[in-house]
């Protein structure tokens, strides 16, 4: 009797497991767990436009003195740091002026030595009463005058040396050298630009038609294609798009176009002026979007299953981030399933 009860208990457990497995694998349970309620969603109409990579700030390395460009230390495309030396400008007259002042200093040093010797002699004679106080004052004044002249010449020499150092052209900011304005050996004037430097921060600059002025605003999200994707299909490039943010919308129109800047990470390896495909939002609307897995094709038509077991024809639209847009065939409140719980009801629109 005990053996019989154990056998019945074991059979009952196996039967319960089989029933549970059958329930999980049955079409009704699958449709119930994988149903999708249909409701309208807000989608944005994206327009494909081109943007160009631009630097937010373009500065120039300028010569501070006039002279000859004796050495050029950078070339187009070089990456420079703030304060890095770009070129050397020298004025030949400054070297001659420094040499002339050095000669005058040598002469004054000899005069100072003579005046000091004379002062010592007059001072000795004054102590013995053989020289007057006026002669002592005159010798002391001569030493003071020569000493002052030496100090003035040294200051003049320092000014010329400082002016000579002003011939070193430095980068005012870090970035990439876009253009070299002068060649080695050319004569440059004070304030003349030597090199154009694009600062490290790069943005995408959009030029949109005037009709889009009421749609675009600061903070909007745009989609940016990868580098070189200028003539590809939008669907093939959808997986490679990255997001950018509109950082600034300029209040002035440029030849009937709205100018806006987009901030995107990783533009440092682009060429300044390089074109990039960008998708911007031009309007928004209400539509139905369903996952692509619920759509099956037959005889060139697109069908979906409803939870009531019916099968209807739909008209799919473009592919969006959340799935496929449905232009017609669905209503609010419909529930989609992957597989009907009963035999599908043929509709007139299917034509079967």
């Amino acid at each position: 009797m005990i053996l019989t009860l154990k056998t019945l208990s074991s059979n009952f457990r196996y039967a319960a497991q089989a029933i549970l497995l059958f329930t999980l694998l049955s079409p009704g349970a699958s449709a119930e767990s994988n149903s999708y309620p249909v409701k309208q969603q807000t989608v944005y109409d994206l327009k494909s436009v081109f943007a160009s990579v631009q630097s937010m700030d373009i500065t120039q390395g300028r010569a501070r003195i006039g002279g000859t460009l004796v050495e050029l230390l950078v070339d187009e495309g070089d990456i420079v740091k703030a304060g890095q030396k770009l070129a050397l400008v020298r004025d030949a007259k400054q070297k001659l002026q420094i040499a002339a002042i050095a000669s005058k200093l040598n002469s004054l040093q000899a005069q100072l030595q003579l005046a000091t010797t004379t002062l010592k002699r007059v001072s000795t004679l004054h102590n013995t009463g053989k020289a007057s106080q006026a002669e002592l004052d005159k010798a002391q004044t001569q030493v003071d005058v020569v000493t002052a002249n030496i100090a003035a010449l040294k200051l003049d020499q320092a000014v010329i040396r400082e002016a000579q150092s002003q011939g070193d052209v430095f980068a005012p900011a870090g970035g990439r050298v876009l253009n070299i304005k002068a060649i080695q050996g050319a004569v440059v004037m004070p304030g003349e630009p030597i090199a154009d430097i694009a600062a490290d921060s790069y943005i995408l600059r959009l030029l949109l038609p005037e009709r889009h002025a009421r749609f675009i605003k600061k903070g909007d999200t745009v989609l940016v294609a990868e580098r070189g994707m200028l003539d590809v299909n939008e669907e093939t490039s959808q997986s490679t798009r990255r997001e950018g943010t509109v950082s600034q919308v300029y209040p002035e129109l440029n030849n009937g176009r709205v100018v806006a800047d987009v901030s995107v990470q990783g533009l440092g390896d682009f060429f300044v002026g390089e074109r990039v495909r960008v998708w911007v939002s031009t309007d928004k609307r209400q539509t139905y979007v369903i996952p692509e897995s619920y759509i099956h094709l037959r005889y060139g038509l697109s069908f979906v299953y409803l939870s009531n077991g019916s099968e209807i024809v739909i008209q799919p639209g473009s592919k969006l981030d959340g799935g496929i847009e449905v232009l017609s065939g669905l209503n609010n409140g419909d529930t989609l399933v992957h597989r009907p719980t009963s035999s599908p009801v043929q509709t007139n629109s299917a034509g079967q």
Side-chain angles (χ1 to χ4, degrees):
M1 181 65 179
I2 297 176
L3 181 60
T4 304
L5 291 176
K6 289 182 178 181
T7 304
L8 291 175
S9 176
S10 177
N11 293 337
F12 178 80
R13 183 171 65 253
Y14 293 148
Q17 293 177 354
I19 293 173
L20 178 61
L21 181 61
F22 176 79
T23 304
L24 292 176
L25 296 179
S26 62
S30 177
E32 185 69 24
S33 60
N34 294 322
S35 61
Y36 181 83
V38 176
K39 59 181 179 180
Q40 284 190 334
Q41 303 178 23
T42 301
V43 298
Y44 293 88
D45 292 327
L46 299 180
K47 178 180 178 60
S48 175
V49 296
F50 290 110
S52 61
V53 179
Q54 299 291 336
S55 174
M56 293 185 63
D57 299 304
I58 296 181
T59 185
Q60 292 179 326
R62 295 178 178 270
R64 293 173 288 180
I65 64 171
T68 304
L69 184 62
V70 298
E71 188 176 2
L72 195 60
L73 303 177
V74 294
D75 201 358
E76 284 90 352
D78 290 348
I79 304 297
V80 297
K81 298 179 180 179
Q84 180 176 335
K85 190 179 295 186
L86 305 178
L88 300 179
V89 177
R90 293 292 181 261
D91 188 354
K93 299 190 299 294
Q94 293 174 341
K95 186 176 181 180
L96 296 177
Q97 290 172 351
I98 293 175
I101 291 177
S103 298
K104 290 182 180 180
L105 285 175
N106 292 334
S107 175
L108 287 176
Q109 290 291 344
Q111 294 179 24
L112 178 62
Q113 185 177 0
L114 177 60
T116 304
T117 303
T118 303
L119 177 62
K120 289 181 180 179
R121 185 181 299 116
V122 173
S123 177
T124 302
L125 294 175
H126 179 268
N127 292 334
T128 59
K130 295 181 180 180
S132 63
Q133 183 66 37
E135 293 176 344
L136 179 63
D137 292 343
K138 182 179 179 180
Q140 182 64 50
T141 302
Q142 185 65 25
V143 171
D144 294 341
V145 169
V146 175
T147 302
N149 289 336
I150 291 175
L153 277 179
K154 287 184 177 180
L155 290 176
D156 290 340
Q157 191 179 48
V159 170
I160 296 175
R161 292 186 185 277
E162 178 62 26
Q164 191 177 38
S165 67
Q166 294 286 320
D168 296 343
V169 181
F170 297 100
R176 187 186 306 172
V177 178
L178 296 181
N179 191 16
I180 300 296
K181 299 287 189 178
I183 63 174
Q184 186 168 332
V187 176
V188 297
M189 302 299 293
E192 185 173 343
I194 302 298
D196 293 336
I197 301 173
D200 286 333
S201 54
Y202 296 95
I203 48 94
L204 287 177
R205 181 148 296 167
L206 290 170
L207 294 175
L208 301 176
E210 186 177 350
R211 62 180 178 273
H212 298 310
R214 61 192 181 98
F215 299 113
I216 190 169
K217 63 183 182 298
K218 184 177 180 180
D220 286 350
T221 300
V222 301
L223 299 178
V224 182
E226 291 296 327
R227 185 177 184 180
M229 290 187 174
L230 298 179
D231 53 356
V232 296
N233 192 311
E234 293 186 8
E235 295 183 359
T236 59
S237 63
Q238 189 171 5
S239 60
T240 60
R241 298 177 187 176
R242 49 181 171 169
E243 291 187 353
T245 305
V246 177
S247 58
Q248 187 173 4
V249 179
Y250 293 90
E252 183 180 5
L253 296 180
N254 183 9
N255 293 328
R257 297 184 176 222
V258 182
V259 183
D261 292 341
V262 177
S263 298
V264 187
Q265 297 294 331
L267 291 178
D269 57 343
F270 284 68
F271 287 100
V272 175
E274 183 174 353
R275 293 195 307 161
V276 182
R277 183 181 291 272
V278 177
W279 289 266
V280 298
S281 174
T282 58
D283 202 355
K284 61 182 180 180
R285 54 191 170 81
Q286 297 291 323
T287 187
Y288 298 106
V289 180
I290 64 174
E292 190 175 1
S293 59
Y294 286 92
I295 302 175
H296 59 280
L297 301 177
R298 191 168 71 248
Y299 304 122
L301 299 177
S302 299
F303 294 84
V304 293
Y305 293 118
L306 300 182
S307 58
N308 60 6
S310 62
E311 182 183 30
I312 61 174
V313 178
I314 63 171
Q315 182 180 355
S318 59
K319 183 179 293 186
L320 303 176
D321 291 338
I324 301 295
E325 179 185 5
V326 177
L327 303 178
S328 63
L330 294 179
N331 296 311
N332 272 330
D334 291 343
T335 301
L336 305 182
V337 293
H338 287 293
R339 184 174 300 184
T341 56
S342 59
S343 299
V345 178
Q346 300 295 336
T347 62
N348 293 332
S349 57
Q352 303 298 324

